[in-house]
Amino acid sequence: MRWGIVAAGVVALAGNAWAQEPSALPFPTTCSGVAAARYQYSVSSTWKATKIAGGLRQPRSMIFDPQGNMLVLQATSGISVHTFGADGCINSTKTLVTNGQLNHGLSLTPDGTKLYASSVSTVWQWDYDAATMAVSNQKVVVQGIGQGIHSTRTTLVVPNKPNLLVVQVGSNNNWDMDASSINTGRACVRVFDMSAVPASGYQYNSGGWALGYGLRNEVGLAFDPNGMVWGVENSGDDFARTVNGQRTDIHIDNPAEELNYLGDPSTPSTNWFGYPTCFTVWDGSVIQDATLKTGDQMVVTSSGGANASFPDAMCAEKSIPPRLSFPAHTAPITNVFDADGTNMYVTLHGSWDRKPQASGYKVVQVPFTKKEDGSYDPVAAADSKTGFTDIMWATNLEQCNSPGLTVSSCFRLAGLVFDPAGSRLFVSSDNNAEGELFILGKK
Ligand SMILES: *[C@@H]1O[C@H](CO)[C@@H](O)[C@H](O)[C@H]1NC(C)=O
Ligand SMILES: *[C@@H]1O[C@H](CO)[C@@H](O)[C@H](O)[C@H]1NC(C)=O
C-alpha cells in the first residue's frame, strides 16, 4: 500500500474504558435523510449493517467522548462532533476543529478532557469539554515528523496510562533503506509522556521512546484489554525475488500484510520487525528457490535478489515475525478489540497493486483467546491463512480499483470504533466521492 498520504489510522478506546456505565442505543435499520449506500456491499449472515451518515469528507478516524458523542476526523477538513437521538441515529452535527492539514490520527483521554489529532508533521492537543462539545487551548505536542509517501501518523492515548501518547510513522518510500536505523524516526512507533511536554513540543525522532521499529507502515494500532499494543502493517509493493540472476515477480500474493505484537507501551522497546530487509510470506508456492510457508520471513529487494549477505535464515534469527498474516495488498488501516478481548476487528482499506483481482475492501474479525498467563493472543497459528473471517465486504471486488488513496470504485473502509456500550461497531469509508459512516451489529 503506497499512499499513506491521505490515509489514516484509527483510534479505538475500548468499550470498557469509560468511567460511567454507558447506555446502549438501538440499532436502526434506516436513518431518515441518509441516502442509500453509495457502493454495493454484503455482510455476513450473523451481522447487520446500516448506513448512518453520508456526504462526509474522507472520514478516517472516529472516537467517542464520555457523553456518547462521536468525534470524526475528516481528512483535509478537520474534526466534527455528532450526537445521537433515542432512535440510534445521528441527530446533530457540528464542526469541532477546522484544519485542512489533519489527515488521520484522533484520540481522547478516557476522561474526555484531552483531545489529540495529527497531520503529516505535527500532533496537536486540545482541552475538550464533552458537555459543550468544544475545544480550547490548542498546542503542539509532537513536531518535526519526517515526510514521504506515507503521510498518516496514527496517534493514540494509552487507555490505562492516559499520560502516554503513541505515535506511528511509516517509511518514506516503498524502500526506505535509512529506516534500518532506529534513529531515523520512520517505519517505527514511538511513545511520548504528555505530562512532561517541552515548551514547543517533542521532536518526533529524538523525544519519547521507541516501541519497536522496522515496521514499514503500522497504520493500525490497538490496545488489548491488558493495554498491550497490537499493530497492523501495510507491507511492500511490486516485489520480485531474484536468485542466481533469475528474477521472479512475486507481488500478486506477497509479501503478506501483518499483525504484530508490539507489547507494553510504557516500556521502551528496540524490537526490530524486519523492514526494510525482512518481509513476510503469504503465498510460499511462488517462491520456488526455498521452502517458505505463510508467516515465514524472507529477503527481497526492489531490484530483485535474495540477499547473499543476509539470507532468509537470518530474518528468522534477527527479525520478529508477525503473529498473524493477511493477504498481500489488503491494506489493514484500523484495528480495534471488543471489550473482553474475544475478537479484534480490522478494516482492510483495499488494494491498488493487485490486478486484475483486487483484495481487501472489507472488515474482518480476528478471534483472540486469553491464555493461562492472562495475555491475549490470536486463536489461529502464525502460519494460518484463515485467522480471520469476513464481516462486511464489497460485493463487486472484481471491479474494485483504487487509482489513488481515496479514489476508488468501491468503498474504502477506514475508521473503526465501538460505541461506549460496546455493541455498535462504527466503520467509515473515506472514498473521496462520498465519505460514509455505517454501524455494524451482531444479529
Ligand atoms: C438528540 O437526541 C437526544 C436524545 O433523545 C436529545 O437529548 C437531544 O436533545 C437531541 N438533540 C437534537 C439536536 O435534536
Ligand atoms: C543485504 O542486507 C544488508 C543487511 O540489511 C544490507 O545492508 C544490504 O544493503 C543488503 N544488500 C542488498 C543488495 O540488498
Side-chain angles (χ1 to χ4, degrees), residues 163-383:
N163 60 311
L164 300 185
L165 191 71
V166 177
V167 183
Q168 173 270 345
V169 176
S171 62
N172 71 2
N173 211 325
N174 194 27
W175 295 91
D176 181 354
M177 298 319 285
D178 292 344
S180 60
S181 161
I182 195 170
N183 300 319
T184 313
R186 297 193 298 269
C188 66
V189 174
R190 297 186 70 82
V191 183
F192 302 88
D193 183 352
M194 291 296 110
S195 66
V197 181
S200 55
Y202 286 104
Q203 285 293 327
Y204 184 80
N205 295 7
S206 53
W209 58 87
L211 185 65
Y213 74 114
L215 298 157
R216 182 179 176 279
N217 197 20
E218 210 79 359
V219 184
L221 297 170
F223 301 94
D224 71 21
N226 291 334
M228 300 296 129
V229 178
W230 293 82
V232 288
E233 178 160 341
N234 289 232
S235 195
D237 300 309
D238 291 332
F239 276 18
R241 175 152 156 130
T242 301
V243 177
N244 297 330
Q246 179 130 6
R247 183 178 190 276
T248 309
D249 182 334
I250 62 167
H251 89 278
I252 293 290
D253 288 314
N254 292 287
E257 314 282 51
E258 304 181 352
L259 171 63
N260 290 306
Y261 178 69
L262 304 190
D264 181 355
S266 60
T267 307
S269 158
T270 56
N271 284 341
W272 182 58
F273 291 83
Y275 184 83
T277 304
C278 300
F279 297 88
T280 302
V281 174
W282 176 255
D283 179 7
S285 72
V286 299
I287 299 155
Q288 287 169 2
D289 64 289
T291 305
L292 294 169
K293 62 181 193 308
T294 303
D296 288 343
Q297 291 201 305
M298 62 177 169
V299 174
V300 289
T301 71
S302 58
S303 55
N307 184 335
S309 66
F310 201 111
D312 297 330
M314 209 176 282
C315 290
E317 227 172 89
K318 296 200 178 296
S319 163
I320 298 178
R323 177 57 189 83
L324 200 63
S325 299
F326 301 106
H329 313 300
T330 50
I333 64 167
T334 299
N335 54 333
V336 57
F337 283 87
D338 52 18
D340 60 4
T342 309
N343 295 288
M344 188 185 75
Y345 296 89
V346 189
T347 51
L348 301 178
H349 201 221
S351 61
W352 63 268
D353 192 33
R354 191 174 191 281
K355 287 173 182 155
Q357 177 70 71
S359 60
Y361 301 93
K362 59 190 178 185
V363 178
V364 295
Q365 179 185 51
V366 182
F368 266 65
T369 184
K370 190 174 187 179
K371 300 199 297 191
E372 262 174 36
D373 65 2
S375 65
Y376 292 84
D377 201 39
V379 169
D383 63 356

Side-chain angles (χ1 to χ4, degrees), residues 110-129:
D111 68 1
T113 62
K114 298 282 183 200
L115 178 68
Y116 299 91
S118 62
S119 71
V120 60
S121 63
T122 305
V123 180
W124 288 276
Q125 178 196 67
W126 295 264
D127 292 336
Y128 176 70
D129 180 358

